[in-house]
Amino acid sequence: MLPWTALSLALSLRLALARSGAERGPPASAPQGDLLFLLDSSASVSHYEFSRVREFVGQLVGLLPLGPGALRASLVHVGSRPYTEFPFGQHSSGEAVQDAVRAAAQRMGDTNTGLALAYAKEQLFAEVAGARPGVPKVLVWVTDGGSSDPVGPPMQELKDLGVTVFIVSTGRGNLLELSAAASAPAEKHLHFVDVDDLHIIAQELRGSILDAMRPQQLRASEVTSSGFHLAWPPLLTADSGYYVLELAPSSEPGTVRRQQLPGNATGWAWVNLDPDTDYEVALVPESNVHLVRPQHLRVHTLPEEAGPERIVISHARPRSLRVSWAPALSAAAVLGYHVQYGPLLGGAAQRVEVPAGRNSTTLQGLAPSTAYLVTVTAAFRSGSERALSAKACTPDGERSRAPRPQPPGAWGREP
């Protein structure tokens, strides 16, 4: 009787533990998500640089939990036309992905990054193309900083889909443009590093990718003046319940917007919101299988994206002048400003970068007695821009001094 009693106790204990786990919700598991590496494979990158980037991606892949039921990886080359080295789901282990990365060959051609981003949106991140619904999606773009075509619009479309964007620049990129392309905050999602020092950021980037793939609680990202993205851990499954998202301005708690989502959802984007406003967000899991507590969050939208309203030209010298503008926007609203200037009658235009919080700069190296067109552009965190232009003239390089008129009688009286 004793063996049967022991077996009964063991089975009872296992059933009790299973019930206990069901009451707590789905068990903790490895993070799930789709991870796309976008590599600059064009002729602007030397073979040596490409080999070091390839080595870095292989190192990073070895640090991540890749495999069935966890992370899936894909690699796309940037060139004249995008080229997929391997799509999501082709390799089922981290070792296989590492081997495929090591075997990747440089494609050469132009640096059409915008075309590659549009390709990634349509051919890789879309559900009709095989992307998994309801899992986080991350893009890691490794670049030398330049692109032959516009990057901002297609990158924003990916971010609007909920893709978290990390950018690794080997040091020659434009800070404002890359900051706008990366997910916010830029200090967490944008890295400038020499190609020989890429290994230094591998552990930090790994942690950031895993944080994006497995949020520990309800969180907001991509906050703009008119909306934000929400992400949360998988608290339910498609068969165990659904979510109700609630949104209301803090000053008007009675005006609630609601959205119902399936149990396998892990993200949502609120749009058409008011600028510079506090919003209360509630994520309410509804399930008959187990009790899951609601999660709450307060999010403040950014101030309205109003660019410079007035430009003042002062301290004009033959070879310099000062440009000021108003209002001066804080770093919470803008990434910074570009000031572009060039002769009105033709000539090369030049550009100066001004950080957020400042509203003036001195333009140097100008030509005397020349009319210039000066344009001040505010670069917002959402990726949009607002610009204002003004004319400015430098004085002559040499000023002749006319004799000062003398008062009558200053030279004495005529005899």
Side-chain angles (χ1 to χ4, degrees), residues 26-170:
S29 59
Q32 295 191 24
D34 292 335
L35 172 62
L36 173 63
F37 291 100
L38 187 67
L39 303 190
D40 188 346
S41 189
S42 68
S44 69
V45 177
S46 71
H47 291 297
Y48 173 77
E49 289 173 323
F50 183 81
S51 68
R52 297 311 304 265
V53 168
R54 184 175 54 196
E55 180 182 332
F56 164 69
V57 173
Q59 177 191 8
L60 185 59
V61 163
L63 299 173
L64 294 168
L66 296 167
L71 304 188
R72 301 190 311 175
S74 175
L75 190 151
V76 171
H77 295 265
V78 174
S80 297
R81 299 184 63 83
Y83 177 81
T84 301
E85 186 73 32
F86 53 87
F88 294 123
Q90 178 172 327
H91 301 296
S92 58
S93 69
E95 291 79 6
V97 173
Q98 280 186 302
D99 290 340
V101 170
R102 294 190 190 103
Q106 189 171 359
R107 309 297 298 180
M108 307 300 287
D110 293 331
T111 315
N112 291 327
T113 308
L115 186 63
L117 291 170
Y119 171 84
K121 174 178 176 286
E122 300 297 333
Q123 301 297 325
L124 294 169
F125 281 129
E127 292 183 20
V128 293
R132 291 179 292 179
V135 302
K137 294 172 176 55
V138 169
L139 169 69
V140 176
W141 174 28
V142 186
T143 175
D144 68 350
S147 179
S148 304
D149 58 350
V151 170
M155 188 70 87
Q156 189 59 48
E157 289 182 11
L158 282 176
K159 291 192 285 187
D160 289 342
L161 290 177
V163 178
T164 301
V165 178
F166 293 92
I167 300 177
V168 178
S169 174
T170 52

Side-chain angles (χ1 to χ4, degrees), residues 297-318:
L297 185 67
R298 174 176 289 184
V299 183
H300 186 85
T301 53
L302 297 180
E304 190 171 6
E305 296 181 345
E309 298 175 359
R310 184 175 72 257
I311 293 178
V312 177
I313 307 296
S314 62
H315 298 81
R317 302 287 186 270

Side-chain angles (χ1 to χ4, degrees), residues 133-347:
V135 302
K137 294 172 176 55
V138 169
L139 169 69
V140 176
W141 174 28
V142 186
T143 175
D144 68 350
S147 179
S148 304
D149 58 350
V151 170
M155 188 70 87
Q156 189 59 48
E157 289 182 11
L158 282 176
K159 291 192 285 187
D160 289 342
L161 290 177
V163 178
T164 301
V165 178
F166 293 92
I167 300 177
V168 178
S169 174
T170 52
R172 298 191 294 273
N174 181 285
L175 174 60
L176 292 181
E177 291 177 358
L178 293 179
S179 295
S183 291
E187 54 266 25
K188 181 178 179 182
H189 297 87
L190 173 60
H191 298 269
F192 280 92
V193 59
D194 187 81
V195 72
D196 289 318
D197 297 324
L198 286 168
H199 63 278
I200 295 175
I201 66 168
Q203 286 288 351
E204 179 184 353
L205 185 55
R206 169 194 178 273
S208 298
I209 291 172
L210 292 180
D211 286 345
M213 292 292 191
R214 186 174 55 192
Q216 301 301 309
Q217 58 185 1
L218 179 65
R219 64 183 178 91
S221 63
E222 300 298 329
V223 180
T224 68
S225 60
S226 61
F228 51 83
H229 287 272
L230 294 171
W232 57 88
L235 306 173
L236 304 173
T237 64
D239 300 325
S240 66
Y242 60 92
Y243 297 101
V244 175
L245 265 178
E246 298 180 346
L247 175 79
S250 301
S251 59
E252 302 176 60
T255 58
V256 181
R257 292 167 60 179
R258 291 183 174 86
Q259 179 68 39
Q260 183 173 317
L261 299 170
N264 61 351
T266 56
W268 178 255
W270 287 112
V271 296
N272 299 323
L273 306 182
D274 294 328
D276 203 15
T277 302
D278 283 323
Y279 283 92
E280 304 295 335
V281 180
L283 175 70
V284 184
E286 300 284 0
S287 174
N288 292 325
V289 179
H290 47 258
L291 176 64
V292 184
R293 296 181 180 277
Q295 296 190 21
H296 299 271
L297 185 67
R298 174 176 289 184
V299 183
H300 186 85
T301 53
L302 297 180
E304 190 171 6
E305 296 181 345
E309 298 175 359
R310 184 175 72 257
I311 293 178
V312 177
I313 307 296
S314 62
H315 298 81
R317 302 287 186 270
R319 296 192 174 277
S320 67
L321 55 83
R322 189 161 189 79
V323 181
S324 305
W325 56 90
L329 303 177
S330 69
V334 296
L335 294 165
Y337 300 92
H338 347 287
V339 180
Q340 185 167 307
Y341 59 98
L344 273 174
L345 298 181

